[in-house]
Amino acid sequence: MLSLIEKTNDGELLALLKEDLVFYGNLQDADITDGLSDEQIKELHILTEENETTDSHSLSDFKNPTNQWRTT
């Protein structure tokens, strides 16, 4: 990973990576759900128990209406 980071010239990517590293580096003993309301936590629990194919579309269902915008 370090090699990939050293070789990139993408300033935007490096800025995003730095932002994530600084943010997560400062979160010792923090939980991603800290700061969520009880309602938001309840919704997360419901979503984790939901069938993963709920509201899903097949690849062909996606590709057909978007063909006009794809170049390859």
Side-chain angles (χ1 to χ4, degrees), residues 6-59:
E6 288 175 337
K7 291 177 184 176
T8 188
N9 291 324
D10 187 336
E12 187 175 331
L13 175 64
L14 291 171
L16 288 171
L17 182 56
K18 180 181 179 184
E19 184 177 314
D20 285 349
L21 289 171
V22 168
F23 177 77
Y24 289 108
N26 292 329
L27 292 180
Q28 296 176 358
D29 301 322
D31 189 294
I32 195 164
T33 60
D34 288 350
L36 293 181
S37 68
D38 289 340
E39 183 178 323
Q40 290 169 319
I41 290 174
K42 181 179 176 183
E43 185 176 349
L44 282 175
H45 283 289
I46 291 168
L47 289 172
T48 61
E49 295 170 359
E50 187 176 80
N51 184 324
E52 64 184 37
T53 60
T54 301
D55 298 325
S56 296
H57 298 279
S58 70
L59 183 56

